[in-house]
């Protein structure tokens, strides 16, 4: 492995609903994922996050494992319904205390907390008032963010507002594959916008209280590649790129709405959720942007499924993303294309010259387990993506760190527990944690890189 620069951050990532379990502990309120998990057929195997990895009760053991891994950064999320059980009003101190203890344990082992405020577990009470379709939820988010900053601001200085607003809005309110399971056009596009407004308002308020803190957002990004060079497929790939990326990145990093938005969503939305001044709020200067990269998107032109724009969902934009290239795939069925990470990072920098520094905040894979947890495919996957990240740095991208998804096997949303992304295997019967071969490999890699930077630093 080529060397990374001194100070490059090495981490692993998780999220609250995917690992914590303990959904009724210490006054936690229900989230949209608790409600969604109760809908028959919504999650594979009827799995729910009720127990998950029971991280809420096993946190010190898990942080000890992070210490063994030797990472210097841990990306996790705070569950809004643990802090404000109904999304607003009464603060649940026991929920905050858990995250305080987590941060103290991390710092005690020299691991910096990279805290995400929202990784998809909206308090159900707010969903019942419209969820992200309504602007009021953005205001409630700001209040929540300030409660957490006030409680943990002496321990945490890296604050990510949202993980993948695309998934919260378009997969949750458009495709319906995620909570809250809605299939809407206008509603899901309103959700996308309100998430961005919530981000901008929260950054503005949090920064005014703690100018010394660092603020960012995490976006899932990947190139949208047309399956042929025909004008129809090229246009389809551009529509897909708008849906997945530019409806978020243009407002965030260029203070504009994409010029092809109205045409792509004609009849689906009139964008009446946009208010005067929103772009100025959304485009707050950021200290970093996190990129989650898994695979490239391959897009072909296709007919709309619903001929009537008025009843169409936002994902029904005349595209087919099922035509995958003839390359090896992971057990998720995702094509392995590390060069897509280089293209993503370099492409972002080209489109947005003022892009803030970047972290790869998620990257990882699933393969079937074999006896002894010798997951050499994962080792190869991560090392090839690290090489691709290095290529992007050579090309001028200011990349500051890399986080493997994930530290532990966990609740993989609508897929339930079957896909295992962890460097650490979790036995869901006994909850015993067993490091895989990739854990030991990553530990050695990180140790080598950190010793090297240590030596350079002295
Ligand atoms: C990420 N989808 O994104 C998430 O941030 C993690 O929580 C998740 O476990 C990881 O990827 C692996 O899937 C996703 O469209 C992005 O279904 C998109 C989807 C799911 C997860």
């Amino acid at each position: 492995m080529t060397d990374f620069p001194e100070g490059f951050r090495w981490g692993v990532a998780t999220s609250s609903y995917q690992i914590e379990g303990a959904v009724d502990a210490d006054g936690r309120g229900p989230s949209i994922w608790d409600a969604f998990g109760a809908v028959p057929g919504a999650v594979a195997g009827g799995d729910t996050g009720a127990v998950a990895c029971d991280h809420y009760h096993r946190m010190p053991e898990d942080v000890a494992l992070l210490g063994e891994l030797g990472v210097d950064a841990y990306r996790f999320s705070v569950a809004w319904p643990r802090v404000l059980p109904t999304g607003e009003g009464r603060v649940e101190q026991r929920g905050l205390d858990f995250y305080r203890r987590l941060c103290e344990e991390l710092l005690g082992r020299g691991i910096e907390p990279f805290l995400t405020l929202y990784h998809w577990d909206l308090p159900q009470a707010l969903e019942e008032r419209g969820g992200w379709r309504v602007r009021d939820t953005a205001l409630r988010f700001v209040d929540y963010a300030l409660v957490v900053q006030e409680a943990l601001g002496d321990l945490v200085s890296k604050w990510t507002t949202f993980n993948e607003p695309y998934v919260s809005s378009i997969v949750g309110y458009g495709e319906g594959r995620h909570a809250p399971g809605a299939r809407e056009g206008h509603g899901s596009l309103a959700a996308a916008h309100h998430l961005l407004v919530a981000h901008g308002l929260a950054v503005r308020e949090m920064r005014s209280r703690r100018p010394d803190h660092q603020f960012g957002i995490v976006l899932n990004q990947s190139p949208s590649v047309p399956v042929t060079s025909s004008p129809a497929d090229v246009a389809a790939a551009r529509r897909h790129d708008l849906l997945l990326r530019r409806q978020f990145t243009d407002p965030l990093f260029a203070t504009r709405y994409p010029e092809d938005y109205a045409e792509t969503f004609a009849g689906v939305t009139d964008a009446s959720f946009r208010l005067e001044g929103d772009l100025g709020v959304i485009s707050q200067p950021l200290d970093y942007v996190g990129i989650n990269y898994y695979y490239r998107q391959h897009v072909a032109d296709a007919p709309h499924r619903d001929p009537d724009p008025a009843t169409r969902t936002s994902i029904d934009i005349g595209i087919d993303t099922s035509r995958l290239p003839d390359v090896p795939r992971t057990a998720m069925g995702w094509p392995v294309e590390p060069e897509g990470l280089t293209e993503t990072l370099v492409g972002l920098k080209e489109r947005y010259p003022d892009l803030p520094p970047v972290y790869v905040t998620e990257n990882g894979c699933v393969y079937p387990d074999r006896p002894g947890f010798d997951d050499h495919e994962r080792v190869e996957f991560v090392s090839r993506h690290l090489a691709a990240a290095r290529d992007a740095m050579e090309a001028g991208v200011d990349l500051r760190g890399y986080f493997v998804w994930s530290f532990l096997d966990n609740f993989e949303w609508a897929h339930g527990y079957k896909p295992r992304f962890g460097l650490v295997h979790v036995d869901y019967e006994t909850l015993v944690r067993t490091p895989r071969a990739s854990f030991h490999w990553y530990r050695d890699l990180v140790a080598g890189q950190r010793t090297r930077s240590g030596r350079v630093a002295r």
Side-chain angles (χ1 to χ4, degrees):
M1 174 64 54
T2 12
D3 284 334
F4 281 75
E6 186 187 341
F8 190 84
R9 308 302 302 271
W10 297 95
V12 287
T14 63
S15 88
S16 50
Y17 191 73
Q18 294 182 272
I19 66 167
E20 286 178 359
V23 290
D24 296 319
D26 292 343
R28 177 188 178 278
S31 80
I32 56 173
W33 272 94
D34 299 290
F36 191 61
V39 176
V43 177
D47 291 349
T48 75
V51 179
C53 308
D54 198 31
H55 170 75
Y56 193 75
H57 296 120
R58 291 158 202 262
M59 179 274 287
E61 176 196 340
D62 289 337
V63 177
L65 259 180
L66 287 170
E68 263 181 58
L69 186 56
V71 290
D72 58 32
Y74 174 54
R75 174 172 178 254
F76 65 95
S77 76
V78 171
W80 185 347
R82 284 201 192 280
V83 175
L84 293 139
T86 60
E88 63 175 339
R90 189 183 62 82
V91 172
E92 177 49 80
Q93 188 60 41
R94 291 172 294 176
L96 284 171
D97 289 345
F98 168 75
Y99 296 108
R100 235 196 123 70
R101 290 195 305 277
L102 168 61
C103 293
E104 285 166 353
E105 293 274 347
L106 290 168
L107 291 167
R109 292 175 190 274
I111 303 168
E112 185 183 1
F114 278 58
L115 186 153
T116 298
L117 286 161
Y118 187 82
H119 199 127
W120 310 351
D121 39 5
L122 183 72
Q124 175 64 16
L126 294 182
E127 177 57 29
E128 282 159 19
R129 288 171 20 202
W132 289 110
R133 299 172 192 88
V134 301
R135 185 171 285 255
D136 185 60
T137 299
L139 307 180
R140 302 289 72 79
F141 176 79
V142 177
D143 294 343
Y144 155 64
L146 293 175
V147 167
V148 180
Q149 187 188 34
E150 173 75 29
L152 305 178
D154 56 330
L155 303 178
V156 175
S157 67
K158 301 271 197 317
W159 300 89
T160 295
T161 51
F162 289 95
N163 179 70
E164 303 186 349
Y166 168 83
V167 177
S168 295
S169 54
I170 305 300
V171 182
Y173 292 86
E175 197 176 351
R177 212 157 39 77
H178 278 195
R183 296 192 164 82
E184 300 170 14
H186 177 80
S188 63
L189 295 167
H193 185 70
H194 293 142
L195 284 155
L196 289 175
V197 170
H199 157 82
L201 289 173
V203 169
R204 195 173 72 188
E205 292 305 314
M206 294 171 84
R207 199 190 288 287
S208 78
R209 283 161 181 76
R210 291 296 300 260
D212 56 319
H213 283 174
Q214 292 185 271
F215 302 96
I217 189 167
V218 166
L219 305 171
N220 51 310
Q221 295 280 290
S222 82
S224 299
V225 188
V227 296
T228 73
S229 55
S230 77
D233 288 338
V234 171
R238 183 166 154 78
R239 291 195 294 278
H240 182 268
D241 183 63
L242 167 72
L243 178 72
L244 181 73
R245 309 212 289 163
R246 284 182 290 113
Q247 69 166 318
F248 301 95
T249 52
D250 274 12
L252 283 166
F253 303 123
T255 325
R256 67 171 178 239
Y257 296 115
E259 70 273 9
D260 49 340
Y261 187 100
E263 184 193 327
T264 303
F265 299 117
V268 175
T269 183
D270 57 2
S272 53
F273 40 76
R274 290 182 191 162
L275 300 188
E276 183 84 36
D278 279 354
L279 278 178
V281 168
I282 294 168
S283 60
Q284 298 298 308
L286 296 180
D287 301 294
Y288 63 90
V289 57
I291 300 304
N292 296 347
Y293 175 78
Y294 289 92
Y295 58 103
R296 287 204 291 208
Q297 303 284 334
H298 299 272
V299 189
D301 183 46
H304 290 284
R305 272 159 282 178
D306 179 350
D308 180 3
T311 51
R312 228 178 243 165
T313 75
S314 53
I315 59 162
D316 190 1
I317 52 172
I319 54 171
D320 171 7
T321 54
S322 67
R323 287 166 56 181
L324 299 182
D326 189 17
V327 298
R329 306 207 201 147
T330 69
M332 293 296 281
W334 297 347
V336 179
E337 298 184 290
E339 63 275 28
L341 175 58
T342 318
E343 290 164 16
T344 295
L345 296 172
V346 172
L348 266 175
K349 182 69 194 168
E350 279 170 359
R351 185 170 177 84
Y352 308 107
D354 298 330
L355 193 76
V358 182
Y359 292 89
V360 172
T361 36
E362 286 183 27
N363 176 235
C365 59
V366 178
Y367 284 97
D369 267 317
R370 60 168 72 78
F373 301 122
D374 167 26
D375 55 341
H376 57 76
E377 299 97 334
R378 181 174 281 109
V379 169
E380 191 190 330
F381 184 98
V382 172
S383 77
R384 288 180 64 197
H385 284 80
L386 280 171
R390 198 77 188 79
D391 289 345
M393 295 168 78
E394 296 295 333
V397 174
D398 184 6
L399 185 69
R400 302 286 178 94
Y402 175 91
F403 295 74
V404 176
W405 184 272
S406 178
F407 170 43
L408 300 172
D409 289 342
N410 58 50
F411 177 74
E412 179 54 24
W413 306 112
H415 297 283
Y417 291 100
K418 195 155 170 265
R420 292 173 173 272
F421 274 92
L423 296 180
V424 176
H425 175 269
V426 176
D427 180 324
Y428 292 114
E429 300 291 319
T430 62
L431 295 170
V432 168
R433 278 84 162 128
T434 310
R436 292 191 171 93
S438 56
F439 177 100
H440 302 294
W441 171 80
Y442 196 57
R443 177 195 61 197
D444 293 347
L445 169 77
V446 171
Q449 295 286 335
R450 290 185 67 186
T451 317
R452 201 188 62 83
S453 359
R455 197 168 55 233
V456 174
R458 274 196 302 273

